[in-house]
Amino acid sequence: MDRDTLGYALGSLHHVQLPIPPGAEELCREFWGGVLGMTELEKPTALAARGGCWFRSGGLEVHLGVEEDFRPSKKAHPGILVSSLPALAKRLEDNGVSVTWDDDFPGHDRFYACDKLGNRLEFLEPARDR
């Protein structure tokens, strides 16, 4: 179906939101800003009162929202496209983050890691000709 049939068209993804416990913003800044090198965004005033923090790099935006009954996302996860996947894996490992390589996604190299709060993250890169 297309826009003419539906009356609307879906665009690209604006952001992904992951849960964090109350008071975990500094851990998020260490991981998303420090380790991954993303830029922290200023939250709108009305939303800033809820806690959490937002980060952006290129076209990727991650919102980390406070949940009182926080449980990390163990299955649900963002799939983040990167360039130079081995360099990112090294950076994560150098910062104490374990990576688990997985070759079960055709056409891509990928690994899983967790942020400092245990939220599952998938990083992938189109496979190069071998």
Side-chain angles (χ1 to χ4, degrees), residues 20 62-63 71-72 74 85-87 92 96 98 100 119-120 127-128:
I20 65 170
V62 177
H63 294 183
R71 276 180 253 128
K74 297 292 187 182
L85 195 61
L92 289 168
S98 297
T100 303
N119 289 308
R120 184 179 194 204
R128 299 180 184 178

Side-chain angles (χ1 to χ4, degrees), residues 74-90:
K74 297 292 187 182
K75 182 72 173 169
H77 62 274
I80 301 170
L81 285 171
V82 301
S83 60
S84 191
L85 195 61
L88 175 59
K90 182 176 180 347

